[in-house]
Amino acid sequence: MPSPTSPPVQNNADYFDFRAMERVPESHAWTGPQEYDHPVAAGHELEHDVVPVVDMRDDDDGAAAAAAARAAEEWGAFLLVGHGVPGELLARVEDQAARLFALPEPDKARAARRPGGGSSGYGVPQYLLRYPKRMWAEGYTFPAAAIRSEFRRVWPDAGDDYVSFCAAMDEYHVEMRALGRKLLAMFFQALGLAAAAGDDDDTERKILDTLTATMHLNLYPKCPDPELAVGLAAHTDSGFFTFIMQSPVPGLQLLRRRPSERWVTVPGVAGALVVVVGDLFHVLTNGRFHSVLHRAVVNRERDRISLPYFLGPPAHMKVAPLAAAVALGRKAEYRAVTWPEYMAMRETTFGTSLSALTMIQVKPEEESEET
């Protein structure tokens, strides 16, 4: 991975016109995929690597919960179908995202991220500016509970385009929030938490009732030389789990570690959502459901749009392994941490081979102090 301490090539608020590029400029040219994320060959996949599919319509007898748990254990991600989110809504949301990114630069610039101004807005997330090269992508991050106030920055006149955009995103938020609760309940069922006695029952209700949501819109424009460009560098998500709605153009890749390390492309299945396990869910399940490194690659012929919907705990909540997730005779592998505390730890490990998860692992000497 290149040194993240190199100065960024552009200011965060600057606009880059991907459409005008006939070649990948030096500011966006990487020497190869292994340079930016992980030392495995790009596109090297085994014939048996098929991303698991979970059908929520199979949950009458707990089959879907078991399948989701198995996929979370073995892959850290899966394709979700039969989820009940209308296909018409998914298409409308993707269309609205494309319309947003097609706006003239001055319109988007009104909502540009501001240094020190929080994580919302149009442009490059602050942590990506620490790489010496830029990603081949446009993005917009916003809290799902503040869609209408956030996008008045783009459409201050609150006209028809604003109304159509916000209506689609609001409806999507309602659907995804409900789906998040349903999937979380399925995960709890697979952990045996629904039958567990004691404090976990209160913890389960608290987690279900206080889920927080952040949305991010991504545009990965078609690229004249995809081998040189990076859509999004490899990373794990920090929260509980993420729903990713993606256009049919493949581009999302997952890192499989066994039997050997390789990248596996998630197919673009119409109507399917991708579920990606995050670091705090890794902690909550005591490492049983593991977070997964994933990245985005770009395409020579077509744009690709994706909409990650991040779910996690409120900032004040301490996240620790659930008792039901700790095997009999074992100890909790991780100590309690809030989301902001964990993000601060991730910041210190940026640009290194370390995972922030190792910083909250319970050490043997800490275990002995408790016994």
Side-chain angles (χ1 to χ4, degrees):
M1 179 184 292
S3 167
T5 58
S6 304
V9 296
Q10 289 178 289
N11 183 272
N12 191 27
D14 286 349
Y15 174 76
F16 184 83
D17 188 359
F18 292 97
R19 308 294 185 195
M21 297 295 110
E22 297 182 356
R23 62 179 180 82
V24 177
E26 181 61 29
S27 60
H28 289 68
W30 301 72
T31 57
Q34 66 273 20
E35 287 288 316
Y36 72 89
D37 49 21
H38 209 271
V40 292
H44 178 64
E45 301 177 13
L46 304 182
E47 289 184 3
H48 62 264
D49 278 327
V50 179
V51 177
V53 177
V54 175
D55 192 335
M56 294 188 81
R57 291 167 294 197
D58 295 338
D59 206 40
D60 288 344
D61 58 357
R70 185 164 55 251
E73 290 175 340
E74 296 177 1
W75 282 75
F78 52 89
L79 282 163
L80 187 67
V81 299
H83 44 66
V85 180
E88 176 277 329
L89 174 60
L90 298 179
R92 184 155 41 96
V93 168
E94 182 178 344
D95 179 67
Q96 289 298 327
R99 289 173 180 270
L100 173 74
F101 287 121
L103 288 173
E105 183 273 330
D107 293 355
K108 293 182 286 191
R110 285 196 291 265
R113 295 171 185 265
R114 304 182 184 94
S119 60
S120 294
Y122 169 80
V124 181
Q126 195 66 35
Y127 81 95
L128 291 180
L129 295 174
R130 299 178 63 185
Y131 287 101
K133 302 288 186 176
R134 293 289 287 270
M135 310 294 164
W136 199 266
E138 289 185 57
Y140 200 123
T141 307
F142 54 98
I147 292 169
R148 293 184 180 273
S149 59
E150 173 64 38
F151 285 94
R152 284 296 293 270
R153 299 169 63 193
V154 177
W155 292 284
D157 62 350
D160 291 343
D161 289 344
Y162 165 83
V163 171
S164 297
F165 181 90
C166 291
M169 295 300 161
D170 275 335
E171 188 176 346
Y172 185 69
H173 168 46
V174 170
E175 291 280 352
M176 299 307 292
R177 184 75 163 70
L179 181 60
R181 287 177 56 88
K182 186 175 180 180
L183 181 61
L184 189 55
M186 285 172 52
F187 279 136
F188 286 158
Q189 178 186 356
L191 289 167
L193 190 58
D199 292 339
D200 274 353
D201 292 321
D202 290 336
T203 303
E204 175 189 5
R205 285 193 294 271
K206 187 181 297 183
I207 291 171
L208 283 167
D209 291 343
T210 60
L211 284 172
T212 63
T214 300
M215 294 174 67
H216 185 80
L217 310 180
N218 287 315
L219 170 68
Y220 300 104
K222 61 184 180 182
C223 178
D225 192 348
E227 295 302 315
L228 285 180
V230 170
L232 183 61
H235 63 287
T236 59
D237 292 344
S238 61
F240 284 154
F241 52 86
T242 308
F243 291 114
I244 302 176
M245 190 190 90
Q246 59 172 355
S247 53
V249 181
L252 176 64
Q253 295 185 330
L254 310 173
L255 183 66
R256 288 285 278 155
R257 297 191 179 277
R258 290 187 291 271
S260 61
E261 292 189 341
R262 69 272 183 203
W263 289 105
V264 179
T265 300
V266 180
V269 178
L273 298 167
V274 186
V275 176
V276 175
V277 175
D279 288 347
L280 290 184
F281 212 57
H282 184 113
V283 172
L284 196 70
T285 62
N286 206 38
R288 177 176 166 183
F289 299 164
H290 71 85
S291 56
V292 61
L293 275 169
H294 52 288
R295 69 182 186 183
V297 297
V298 292
N299 187 281
R300 186 185 301 273
E301 305 298 331
R302 298 177 64 186
D303 294 346
R304 175 173 173 266
I305 285 176
S306 73
L307 287 84
Y309 183 92
F310 303 97
L311 284 165
H316 65 274
M317 179 183 285
K318 287 281 188 180
V319 177
L322 297 164
V326 180
L328 189 64
R330 297 279 305 277
K331 294 285 187 179
E333 298 285 340
Y334 302 95
R335 59 181 175 82
V337 65
T338 67
W339 202 350
E341 288 170 346
Y342 184 71
M343 291 303 294
M345 294 175 194
R346 278 174 60 115
E347 179 74 12
T348 66
T349 62
F350 187 86
T352 74
S353 59
L354 297 175
S355 165
L357 286 171
T358 62
M359 300 179 69
I360 57 173
Q361 281 185 307
V362 177
K363 299 179 177 59
E365 58 269 24
E366 293 175 319
E367 287 187 5
S368 61
E369 289 174 3
E370 294 176 359
T371 58

